[in-house]
Amino acid sequence: MKSPLLSLPGAVPAEGVDEGVAAHYGDLFREQRALADGTGFVDLSHRGVLTVSGEDRLSWLHLLVTQHVSELPAGEATEALILSANGHIEHALYLVDDGTTVWAHVEPGTQDALIAYLESMKFFYRVEVADRTGDFAVVHLPAGSIADVPDGVVVRETAFGRDLFLPREQLEEFAAGHGPAAGLLAYEALRVEQHRPRLGFETDHRTIPHELGWIGTAVHLQKGCYRGQETVARVQNLGKPPRRLVFLHLDGSEVHLPVPGTEIRLADEGPEGRKVGFVTTSVRHHELGPVALALVKRNIPVDARLLAGQTAAAQETVVEP
C-alpha cells in the first residue's frame, strides 16, 4: 500500500519489505537528530494493522501468545510473540487494548498469515478478528514528543515513543501539522541503537526468543500454556540458547556497510576463518557512526574482535552468553 506521503519534498521510497513508505526525505542525519530530540514523526503506514474485539478477546489471546495479556489494563502497551510448536518465532505483535478492542500492528505483509492462524483458533470464544490495514495507518511519534494526537485516535505508548493508529484519510492532514517527517532509515538507526530486534530482520526460521532478548519484554515466564512454551521453559532452565544478539561498532573507514546476511568471523582467524554469526541489520547512526545488530554463536567471548565480511567490528553485549 503506497503512502501518500511519498509525495512530500525529497521523499525517496524504501525498498524490500518496507516498500510503500519513504526511506528518507533527503537528509538522513537531520531526520535522525529530529527523532532523537523528540520532534517530527515517522510514516509506518505500510505495517499491518489488526483488531480483536469481543468480550473474550484478552483471555483468548492469552492462550495463544507469549505475553500475559488476560488482565491487560486499557491503554497499557505490550508486545507479544506467536511461536511454532518447536518454539521458533513466527509473529511479533505490538499491542494495546482500548477498553473494548485490542489493536495490534505487525510487520508488513504478515497480517494475512497471522489472521488466518487466529481465525483457526477461535473455536467457541466470543471474539472477532479483523484486518484494519486498509483503514488505519501506523504513525510513530518519538519519545519526548509533545505533538497533539487527534481526538479518538488509539495510541500505543512505550518508552520509545507513541504509535498512533491513525485513520488513513487523516494521514496527509496529520503530516501537514506535525512535521518534519523522518524516514524509515532514521527510525531503523534508532532501533538498532536501542538494541530492539525486528521480525524478519533479526529472526530467521529457527530463532527463539532467548536469542534476541525478547524474554521479559515479549515473553512472560510465569503464564500458562501456549504453543512453543516447552522450548522457552527448557532454554530458560538450561540457560543455553544457541545464539545471542550483539551490537556491533563497525570500522568507520569502510565506504560500504555490510549488508544483512554478511558472515561474521573471528578477527584473529582472518577473513577465511570459521563463520561464527551474521549481520542482521546495519545502519549509519548520526552519533555512533556505522553500527549493526548481529547474531553470533553463544560461546563466542564477549570481548572477541570480529570481522563482518571485510569490516572490523567490536561487539557490545545485548544478550548475555
Side-chain angles (χ1 to χ4, degrees), residues 120-198:
S120 73
M121 301 300 292
K122 285 172 64 172
F123 303 117
F124 56 84
Y125 290 93
R126 294 162 293 184
V127 294
E128 293 295 331
V129 181
D131 184 353
R132 308 302 302 276
T133 308
D135 302 319
F136 290 88
V138 179
V139 173
H140 176 76
L141 296 175
S145 171
I146 58 173
D148 294 330
V149 176
D151 291 341
V153 170
V154 176
V155 178
R156 180 181 177 274
E157 185 168 2
T158 72
F160 305 110
R162 290 177 287 170
D163 297 335
L164 279 54
F165 294 90
L166 186 73
R168 282 194 178 270
E169 65 268 18
Q170 297 181 22
L171 189 55
E172 290 181 279
E173 179 183 355
F174 180 90
H178 292 79
L184 252 294
L185 292 180
Y187 180 83
E188 284 288 281
L190 298 189
R191 177 183 72 81
V192 170
E193 177 194 12
Q194 295 155 355
H195 304 168
R196 292 189 290 134
R198 182 178 173 189

Side-chain angles (χ1 to χ4, degrees), residues 18 28 32 35 140 160 184-198 201-202 212 245-250 257-258 260 279-286 288-295 314 316-319:
D18 289 322
L28 171 61
Q32 284 187 37
L35 293 181
H140 176 76
F160 305 110
L184 252 294
L185 292 180
Y187 180 83
E188 284 288 281
L190 298 189
R191 177 183 72 81
V192 170
E193 177 194 12
Q194 295 155 355
H195 304 168
R196 292 189 290 134
R198 182 178 173 189
F201 286 63
E202 279 61 59
L212 303 183
L245 187 68
V246 296
F247 179 76
L248 299 180
H249 295 270
L250 302 170
L257 290 172
V279 172
T280 59
T281 305
S282 58
V283 298
R284 296 191 186 277
H285 191 276
H286 71 286
L288 301 176
V291 292
L293 293 175
L295 276 175
E316 185 176 310
T317 301
V318 177
V319 174

Side-chain angles (χ1 to χ4, degrees), residues 38 55 82 94-95 109 111 119 147 158 172 200 217 221 233 246 254 272 277 314:
E55 57 186 286
I82 289 180
Y94 299 85
L95 306 166
Q111 65 268 21
E119 288 285 353
T158 72
E172 290 181 279
T217 60
L221 294 174
V246 296
E254 296 289 340
E272 303 304 320

Side-chain angles (χ1 to χ4, degrees), residues 16-185:
V17 70
D18 289 322
E19 182 180 2
V21 295
H24 62 85
Y25 295 90
D27 193 334
L28 171 61
F29 290 154
R30 178 191 61 78
E31 294 165 32
Q32 284 187 37
R33 287 191 289 269
L35 293 181
D37 291 339
T39 59
F41 70 94
V42 183
D43 176 12
L44 300 178
S45 61
H46 63 316
R47 291 184 64 83
V49 176
L50 61 99
T51 58
V52 181
S53 56
E55 57 186 286
D56 293 337
R57 65 190 184 282
L58 292 176
S59 59
W60 175 70
L61 280 173
H62 186 80
L63 300 173
L64 304 178
V65 302
T66 57
Q67 188 59 274
H68 196 299
V69 297
S70 61
E71 299 172 2
L72 184 67
E76 182 175 309
T78 192
E79 54 189 80
L81 308 174
I82 289 180
L83 307 180
S84 72
N86 293 323
H88 300 138
I89 299 169
E90 292 189 342
H91 294 283
L93 297 82
Y94 299 85
L95 306 166
V96 68
D97 185 84
D98 68 2
T100 61
T101 302
V102 174
W103 294 76
H105 64 81
V106 298
E107 288 297 327
T110 66
Q111 65 268 21
D112 288 346
L114 173 58
I115 289 172
Y117 169 70
L118 294 177
E119 288 285 353
S120 73
M121 301 300 292
K122 285 172 64 172
F123 303 117
F124 56 84
Y125 290 93
R126 294 162 293 184
V127 294
E128 293 295 331
V129 181
D131 184 353
R132 308 302 302 276
T133 308
D135 302 319
F136 290 88
V138 179
V139 173
H140 176 76
L141 296 175
S145 171
I146 58 173
D148 294 330
V149 176
D151 291 341
V153 170
V154 176
V155 178
R156 180 181 177 274
E157 185 168 2
T158 72
F160 305 110
R162 290 177 287 170
D163 297 335
L164 279 54
F165 294 90
L166 186 73
R168 282 194 178 270
E169 65 268 18
Q170 297 181 22
L171 189 55
E172 290 181 279
E173 179 183 355
F174 180 90
H178 292 79
L184 252 294
L185 292 180

